[in-house]
Amino acid sequence: MAAQTILFDFTLDTLKTADAKQRQEVVKIVRNELEHVFPQLELAYQLSMEDGYFAVLEENKDTIITCRIFQQGLLTINVEYYLADGKEPLMSFDTMRTMELILRQKLDSDRSKYLPPIKRGGYIDIYMTSSDERIIEYDIDSLVYEARSPFQKIQIMHSKTLGNMLILDELQNIAESDLIYTETLMGRGIENYEGKEICILGGGDGALLYELLKEKPKHVVMLEIDELVMQACNKYLNSICGDVLEKRKTDQYEIVVGDCVEYMKKFIAEGRKFDYVFGDLTDIPISGAPIGECWDFIRTILEHSFMLLKPDGKYLTHGNGTTCLESLELFEEQLRLLKPKVKFTTSKAFVPSFMEEWLFYQVTFA
Amino acid sequence: MAAQTILFDFTLDTLKTADAKQRQEVVKIVRNELEHVFPQLELAYQLSMEDGYFAVLEENKDTIITCRIFQQGLLTINVEYYLADGKEPLMSFDTMRTMELILRQKLDSDRSKYLPPIKRGGYIDIYMTSSDERIIEYDIDSLVYEARSPFQKIQIMHSKTLGNMLILDELQNIAESDLIYTETLMGRGIENYEGKEICILGGGDGALLYELLKEKPKHVVMLEIDELVMQACNKYLNSICGDVLEKRKTDQYEIVVGDCVEYMKKFIAEGRKFDYVFGDLTDIPISGAPIGECWDFIRTILEHSFMLLKPDGKYLTHGNGTTCLESLELFEEQLRLLKPKVKFTTSKAFVPSFMEEWLFYQVTFA
């Protein structure tokens, strides 16, 4: 089940929106066109303002259309109705396009636009927001798995082109399409992992562990808190994690289920050191100030990670969308505060399932 | 200038939407929460229906909020107001998120959602529709170039992460981020172009010509109708077309400005043959039947292309989004109708600026 909201916009000459009489002319043209699609349309309510106009039109109390004129030279039309499963939409793409073209012409509009119908209240959420607050509709066609662990809401959704996607607390994490994410995080072809000792913080989807093991490291230890995430990924993300989540311990690697900070403290106490530490945990928050629980966690992770690194070791982690300059700057500020001092380089990649370009950090002792 | 439309959805227990009294309770909760953000909110209009409820609320006749309850268990709230350039939005992301969370709790809603504000009537159109009719908001921050040629509307827009984008008649064609598009179209690493004779139909952005020339072909002839597209790309898409559009003729290549069908006929009459012909023209239409001008053009192109190919030659072209099965099937049907018979393989790539996976064809004589 879902309601459909269809949005049309037309820019208008401000002469057409300047006074009440002109605005009535515009409304007449709009009503006339809408009636071709909705023949039983009736005017339910109108509100004349000094600087604009608003009306509610309805057909059989099923379809409700609001129509607003802004004196700045803009007309918006919102069509909303309930579309039961399996029913044909009231407006096809052809109908929308035709209405847009005719109204653009009749209203002498310079720029006009209609958006694909927005589906509201459906069982599967197909809209996600990019790190820089853009709306992106995914071609998700099924919810494969859903569960709530003690730590988060876990969903595996299937996208027609991206394959299975891991979504944690409504945030897209990784999809079958995203080998580039893992390869950029680990700097494939740049870093040499052969014979190295590696620690992964987080990484519950298994993709990083799977790719690292191909590079013949001496040993990898992975500290992941959420058993359920690993079970879900082992079942539904095989193409990116292979069978590494099947076993928790082999000669090559060990997966420890628990709080990574606790285990880092334990390793530090034991004097255990690594060539590489990977921060594959929560994203950097998109917030205006480096305060709150989440930033405290990031600082704790960074401080402990560098205590685990050999002098020539590297800390590798993901940042945020490359357009989130403020958030990235805050993260880099945290890096600059570390003692002993560190230096860093960055790399970036367009990650298909994020539908945006992402920044990655390579941090070493200065 | 732009109006902002903010859409909230809440699924409700159908007990809460079943009768008028219950629905009034829902409305009361909603109004109460909205008033925290819009303290002067007034009820302007309400429409009680047998199976639902609709109301218009307004603040100072500036912000108009519609609120609709569907008996199927859904509440939609649409907030719309005019946001002048440089002004702060009335609802920040934090405000939206807080309102969503509080209402979700107070309404005991299973699923709720708000979309990033939809910007309407802005000078730059930042919303594009994918081949399978999904809405995608781009991080476009400027219109670099706009002109109308005798053939089409040409725009170069700048995206923060995709670089400059070529948009023809409102359709995204190629961006600086899209080397993968050209490489998949030409099958880099699979095809051997050394010493070969090549004909490009279209290709006005110059990217294909630029990449092909790196592979040391004997000669490339490119047939492009739109001089203005080439001028725009030469100026603004250098990173993908290099300097190939600077000159129209060298020892290695020739760019002919004109109708490719005319020139194909001329080449056929001269008995000229190629190792490769590239169809880098208009996209395959997303239509229900292979009829109309556009499909006639596709058939003409295909028929003439194969008359230009050597017996072991190849016709390489782009298809459509991989989810547009119907449209791809129609194209393949046209291929099957060709005489002499042809056979084909396909390849695919996720094209960053399309924000979707695209299909490419490699066609040879059967």
Side-chain angles (χ1 to χ4, degrees):
Chain A
M1 70 154 209
Q4 297 232 327
T5 302
I6 311 173
L7 306 175
F8 293 86
D9 321 332
F10 300 86
T11 57
L12 300 176
D13 190 321
T14 47
L15 286 175
K16 282 198 164 66
T17 61
D19 68 66
K21 208 179 140 206
Q22 295 287 332
R23 294 194 285 257
Q24 282 298 340
E25 275 305 304
V26 170
V27 175
K28 211 170 124 186
I29 293 169
V30 171
R31 265 192 81 169
N32 204 31
E33 277 314 306
L34 283 169
E35 278 167 2
H36 287 138
V37 186
F38 305 100
Q40 264 97 58
L41 204 65
E42 284 181 37
L43 178 69
Y45 170 73
Q46 56 184 333
L47 178 66
S48 277
M49 306 167 230
E50 233 176 87
D51 58 355
Y53 174 86
F54 173 80
V56 178
L57 303 156
E58 55 90 10
E59 186 178 65
N60 306 326
K61 297 188 175 179
D62 286 331
T63 303
I64 293 183
I65 301 174
T66 61
C67 170
R68 186 164 176 189
I69 301 172
F70 297 89
Q71 69 166 353
Q72 293 89 342
L74 178 64
L75 161 72
T76 62
I77 301 171
N78 306 354
V79 178
E80 192 168 315
Y81 67 93
Y82 192 85
L83 181 63
D85 283 341
K87 286 262 182 177
E88 279 297 306
L90 293 183
M91 295 190 93
S92 68
F93 263 76
D94 279 346
T95 310
M96 287 183 254
R97 186 163 170 73
T98 306
M99 194 174 100
E100 184 212 0
L101 291 176
I102 292 175
L103 275 178
R104 183 200 294 212
Q105 196 180 31
K106 291 200 173 164
L107 296 168
D108 204 12
S109 165
D110 269 353
R111 282 171 287 127
S112 61
K113 181 77 182 174
Y114 67 90
L115 293 178
I118 293 169
K119 281 75 91 182
R120 306 173 74 177
Y123 184 65
I124 300 173
D125 184 12
I126 53 176
Y127 299 100
M128 277 184 256
T129 303
S130 69
S131 69
D132 55 344
E133 298 171 350
R134 288 177 293 114
I135 175 176
I136 295 169
E137 181 177 349
Y138 281 73
D139 59 351
I140 292 170
D141 56 4
S142 63
L143 176 63
V144 176
Y145 171 90
E146 189 172 58
R148 208 172 269 280
S149 79
F151 310 101
Q152 54 206 334
K153 179 173 164 190
I154 306 164
Q155 292 173 303
I156 306 273
M157 303 243 200
H158 181 262
S159 144
K160 289 184 205 166
T161 51
L162 306 166
N164 281 342
M165 306 164 65
L166 171 66
I167 296 156
L168 299 176
D169 281 342
E170 258 87 55
L171 283 174
Q172 170 53 19
N173 265 255
I174 198 164
E176 292 188 272
S177 55
D178 296 347
L179 178 62
I180 187 74
Y181 177 91
T182 306
E183 292 194 323
T184 314
L185 174 59
M186 67 190 269
R188 173 157 277 161
I190 300 164
E191 303 297 334
N192 178 6
Y193 294 102
E194 204 172 328
K196 301 292 167 59
E197 289 176 284
I198 304 170
C199 178
I200 300 174
L201 313 174
D205 54 67
L208 179 59
L209 177 59
Y210 181 54
E211 295 304 326
L212 282 171
L213 290 177
K214 295 179 183 172
E215 314 249 334
K216 306 193 177 59
K218 186 175 168 194
H219 191 261
V220 186
V221 60
M222 177 172 131
L223 309 174
E224 167 60 46
I225 204 166
D226 202 335
E227 171 65 38
L228 210 54
V229 165
M230 292 194 281
Q231 285 178 18
C233 295
N234 185 37
K235 193 155 178 190
Y236 300 110
L237 286 174
N238 271 156
S239 67
I240 59 165
C241 67
D243 58 357
V244 298
L245 299 172
E246 273 292 318
K247 290 180 191 159
R248 292 295 140 85
K249 198 172 178 180
T250 70
D251 288 348
Q252 268 206 301
Y253 69 90
E254 181 178 2
I255 298 172
V256 181
V257 184
D259 178 350
C260 71
V261 177
E262 291 312 305
Y263 282 90
M264 289 168 93
K265 285 180 179 160
K266 185 172 162 281
F267 293 165
I268 292 166
E270 293 167 4
R272 195 167 165 184
K273 296 277 184 182
F274 296 90
D275 297 289
Y276 289 97
V277 174
F278 280 92
D280 195 12
L281 297 152
T282 329
D283 287 347
I284 303 174
I286 305 162
S287 61
I291 48 168
E293 239 180 81
C294 198
W295 281 102
D296 288 342
F297 180 65
I298 288 174
R299 272 187 293 266
T300 303
I301 293 296
L302 285 173
E303 284 158 10
H304 288 74
S305 293
F306 284 94
M307 290 192 240
L308 283 179
L309 275 182
K310 296 180 186 174
D312 58 350
K314 269 192 187 175
Y315 178 74
L316 302 177
T317 193
H318 50 76
N320 212 322
T322 55
T323 54
C324 295
L325 298 178
E326 202 181 355
S327 155
L328 294 168
E329 182 49 45
L330 288 175
F331 179 70
E332 292 171 18
E333 207 175 88
Q334 307 313 307
L335 290 178
R336 279 189 285 269
L337 291 173
L338 284 172
K339 276 174 190 162
K341 290 227 167 290
V342 301
K343 60 183 184 197
F344 64 87
T345 54
T346 61
S347 54
K348 52 192 185 178
F350 188 93
V351 183
S353 85
F354 295 2
M355 304 255 183
E356 63 180 321
E357 195 183 55
W358 214 252
L359 198 74
F360 299 84
Y361 288 93
Q362 302 86 40
V363 195
T364 54
F365 290 109
Chain B
M1 69 154 210
Q4 297 231 329
T5 302
I6 311 173
L7 307 176
F8 293 86
D9 320 332
F10 300 87
T11 56
L12 301 175
D13 189 321
T14 46
L15 285 176
K16 281 197 165 63
T17 61
D19 69 69
K21 207 177 141 210
Q22 296 288 333
R23 294 194 285 256
Q24 281 297 341
E25 275 305 305
V26 170
V27 175
K28 210 169 125 189
I29 293 169
V30 171
R31 266 192 78 168
N32 204 34
E33 277 315 305
L34 284 169
E35 277 166 4
H36 288 139
V37 186
F38 305 100
Q40 265 95 58
L41 204 66
E42 284 182 35
L43 178 69
Y45 171 73
Q46 56 185 333
L47 178 66
S48 279
M49 306 168 232
E50 230 175 273
D51 57 357
Y53 174 86
F54 173 80
V56 177
L57 303 156
E58 56 89 11
E59 185 177 63
N60 306 325
K61 295 187 177 178
D62 286 331
T63 303
I64 293 183
I65 301 173
T66 61
C67 171
R68 186 163 176 188
I69 301 172
F70 297 89
Q71 68 164 357
Q72 293 88 344
L74 178 65
L75 161 71
T76 63
I77 301 171
N78 306 354
V79 179
E80 192 167 314
Y81 68 94
Y82 192 85
L83 181 64
D85 284 340
K87 287 263 183 177
E88 279 296 305
L90 294 183
M91 295 191 92
S92 69
F93 263 75
D94 278 346
T95 311
M96 286 184 254
R97 186 166 171 70
T98 306
M99 192 173 101
E100 185 213 359
L101 291 177
I102 293 175
L103 275 178
R104 185 201 291 213
Q105 197 179 30
K106 290 200 174 167
L107 296 169
D108 204 12
S109 166
D110 269 352
R111 280 171 286 127
S112 62
K113 180 78 184 173
Y114 67 91
L115 293 179
I118 293 170
K119 282 75 91 179
R120 307 173 73 177
Y123 184 64
I124 300 173
D125 183 12
I126 54 176
Y127 299 100
M128 276 184 257
T129 303
S130 69
S131 69
D132 55 344
E133 299 171 351
R134 288 176 293 115
I135 175 175
I136 296 168
E137 183 176 348
Y138 282 74
D139 60 350
I140 291 170
D141 56 4
S142 64
L143 176 63
V144 176
Y145 171 90
E146 188 171 59
R148 206 172 270 279
S149 78
F151 309 102
Q152 54 206 332
K153 180 173 166 191
I154 306 166
Q155 292 173 305
I156 306 274
M157 304 243 200
H158 181 262
S159 145
K160 290 184 206 166
T161 51
L162 305 167
N164 281 342
M165 305 164 65
L166 171 67
I167 295 158
L168 299 177
D169 282 342
E170 260 85 58
L171 282 176
Q172 169 53 17
N173 266 253
I174 197 163
E176 292 188 271
S177 56
D178 297 346
L179 178 61
I180 187 73
Y181 177 90
T182 306
E183 291 196 321
T184 314
L185 173 58
M186 67 191 271
R188 175 159 274 160
I190 300 165
E191 301 297 333
N192 179 6
Y193 294 102
E194 203 173 328
K196 299 291 167 64
E197 289 176 283
I198 303 171
C199 178
I200 300 174
L201 312 175
D205 54 68
L208 179 59
L209 177 58
Y210 181 54
E211 295 303 327
L212 282 172
L213 290 176
K214 294 178 184 172
E215 312 250 335
K216 306 193 175 62
K218 185 175 170 193
H219 191 264
V220 186
V221 60
M222 178 172 128
L223 309 173
E224 168 60 47
I225 204 166
D226 202 334
E227 171 65 38
L228 210 55
V229 165
M230 291 194 281
Q231 285 179 19
C233 295
N234 185 38
K235 195 156 179 189
Y236 300 110
L237 286 175
N238 271 157
S239 68
I240 58 165
C241 67
D243 59 356
V244 298
L245 299 172
E246 274 292 318
K247 291 181 190 157
R248 291 297 141 84
K249 198 174 177 179
T250 70
D251 287 350
Q252 267 207 303
Y253 68 89
E254 181 179 2
I255 298 173
V256 180
V257 184
D259 178 349
C260 72
V261 178
E262 292 312 305
Y263 282 89
M264 288 168 93
K265 284 180 180 162
K266 185 172 161 282
F267 292 164
I268 292 167
E270 292 167 4
R272 197 166 165 184
K273 296 277 182 177
F274 296 90
D275 296 290
Y276 288 97
V277 174
F278 280 93
D280 195 12
L281 298 152
T282 330
D283 287 348
I284 304 173
I286 305 162
S287 60
I291 48 169
E293 240 180 76
C294 199
W295 280 102
D296 287 343
F297 180 64
I298 288 173
R299 270 187 293 265
T300 303
I301 293 297
L302 286 172
E303 283 160 11
H304 288 73
S305 294
F306 284 93
M307 289 193 240
L308 283 177
L309 276 182
K310 295 180 186 175
D312 58 351
K314 268 193 187 176
Y315 178 75
L316 302 177
T317 193
H318 50 75
N320 212 323
T322 55
T323 52
C324 295
L325 299 178
E326 202 180 359
S327 155
L328 294 167
E329 180 50 43
L330 287 174
F331 179 70
E332 292 171 17
E333 206 174 274
Q334 307 312 308
L335 290 177
R336 279 190 284 267
L337 291 173
L338 285 170
K339 281 179 184 157
K341 288 226 168 290
V342 301
K343 60 184 183 199
F344 64 88
T345 55
T346 61
S347 54
K348 54 193 183 179
F350 188 93
V351 182
S353 85
F354 295 3
M355 304 253 184
E356 61 179 322
E357 194 183 57
W358 213 253
L359 198 73
F360 299 84
Y361 288 92
Q362 303 85 39
V363 195
T364 54
F365 290 109

